[in-house]
Amino acid sequence: MTGPERLVDPDDAAIAEFTSQYGLDLPPIAIVIAAYNEENGIGEALGGIPAVIDGMETATIVVVDGSTDRTADEARKAGAMVCDVPTNRGQGAALRLGYRLAREGGARYIVTTDADGQYDPADIKRVLAPVLRGEADFATGSRVLGRQETYDRVRRLGVHVFAWMISRMTGQRITDTSFGLRAMRAEVTGAVTLAQPQYQSSELLIGVISHGYKVVEVPATMRLRAAGTTKKGGNLVYGYRYSRVVVGTWLRERRAASSSPAPAPSTTTSEPVSAKTK
């Protein structure tokens, strides 16, 4: 490149900084969390995450997405490995960076959860179990099959509407498309296209199904926030933006499928478990 200095990719710079602090030799299970201004809740959210699951050590990676508070400090205090990115780019960008850190660090399995304490750490082992058993490539918690503490009727309705929509689009019955507690084989995150800066949950889910991976749902709990407020906007804004991501991702995957060979088959060897596996 001629002229001024070549621009440095922000992910490359963040990975270099992360590697200088922690190296890139992770245990088999990486738990990835995107966090933005969650200093009051991140400690509690990290507190119950298991250090060992089925005899395998875990590492918790918190990607701090341009926070202006003490989220990074609180996460470090709680024992997490912190990748502190100076610019706020959105949850989707933060999760992509976390996935890359996990893959390049040698983790075999990736779990995602949120920084706001809405997901019960006790559910992590249960959601990961079908993937560890080789019965699925991707497992997602479901508040519909499990339990939810929210009293927001609009949000509850939205969960069912988007579940119906994505089920019709993909041909696979899904009850909860936006649950943030998920588990997958690490290579899955590198095989699907992830471009959304926000609302990545539906993009990832549609991409995984479109690529032919085995997907299951596991009953799980959706709790009230431990602290702070949502960064995703009110119900109408959230619904509009989320629906745009759903439709846009589905159209993109349909175009990709029509111009390429059939999706690579899943590498799992067992039959998929029921959506109501416990």
Side-chain angles (χ1 to χ4, degrees):
M1 178 178 179
T2 60
E5 289 183 26
R6 172 175 292 191
L7 295 176
V8 178
D9 182 276
D11 282 2
D12 289 340
I15 289 171
E17 176 64 23
F18 183 88
T19 304
S20 72
Q21 294 182 63
Y22 304 107
L24 273 179
D25 186 15
L26 298 178
I29 301 170
I31 297 163
V32 174
I33 298 174
Y36 173 65
N37 287 353
E38 295 286 359
E39 67 174 340
N40 294 321
I42 187 70
E44 182 177 338
L46 295 173
I49 292 177
V52 177
I53 297 176
D54 285 4
M56 290 181 282
E57 291 185 5
T58 71
T60 301
I61 301 171
V62 176
V63 180
V64 179
D65 186 38
S67 291
T68 56
D69 64 2
R70 300 182 66 256
T71 297
D73 294 336
E74 294 299 320
R76 290 190 187 98
K77 267 199 237 177
M81 305 167 76
V82 175
C83 181
D84 196 357
V85 182
T87 304
N88 177 244
R89 299 184 296 161
Q91 185 189 49
L95 288 174
R96 285 197 303 273
L97 175 55
Y99 298 153
R100 186 175 163 192
L101 288 168
R103 290 196 310 270
E104 294 184 4
R108 301 203 306 271
Y109 306 99
I110 295 175
V111 178
T112 65
T113 187
D114 280 3
D116 55 20
Q118 286 190 288
Y119 301 113
D120 188 345
D123 286 335
I124 290 175
K125 181 177 179 180
R126 193 147 52 109
V127 173
L128 180 58
V131 182
L132 293 182
R133 292 196 301 261
E135 297 169 339
D137 304 298
F138 181 95
T140 177
S142 169
R143 78 198 87 179
V144 175
L145 299 179
R147 185 170 66 90
Q148 57 184 317
E149 297 176 357
T150 178
Y151 303 107
D152 189 328
R153 293 182 180 180
V154 175
R155 284 289 173 100
R156 282 176 176 255
L157 176 62
V159 168
H160 291 283
V161 168
F162 286 117
W164 174 85
M165 181 185 299
I166 289 180
S167 297
R168 291 294 300 268
M169 287 175 168
T170 63
Q172 173 160 344
R173 181 175 180 267
I174 298 294
T175 66
D176 193 343
T177 69
S178 59
F179 204 82
L181 176 52
R182 291 170 165 189
M184 63 211 86
R185 292 189 297 105
E187 58 265 36
V188 169
T189 63
V192 298
T193 299
L194 298 174
Q196 293 295 330
Q198 191 59 276
Y199 312 107
Q200 194 211 65
S201 59
S202 59
E203 181 185 37
L204 177 61
L205 178 62
I206 294 170
V208 168
I209 295 173
S210 299
H211 278 68
Y213 290 114
K214 292 183 180 178
V215 176
V216 298
E217 292 186 295
V218 178
T221 298
M222 182 78 166
R223 305 188 298 195
L224 296 175
R225 261 181 166 268
T229 57
T230 181
K231 315 298 190 303
K232 296 179 180 177
N235 289 337
L236 290 178
V237 171
Y238 179 90
Y240 171 69
R241 291 176 177 171
Y242 194 86
S243 63
R244 285 188 62 184
V245 172
V246 168
V247 174
T249 301
W250 178 65
L251 290 173
R252 183 190 71 200
E253 294 297 328
R254 285 195 66 185
R255 287 193 295 267
S258 65
S259 60
S260 63
S266 164
T267 60
T268 56
T269 55
S270 304
E271 290 299 315
V273 294
S274 164
K276 295 189 179 180
T277 297
K278 297 192 178 182

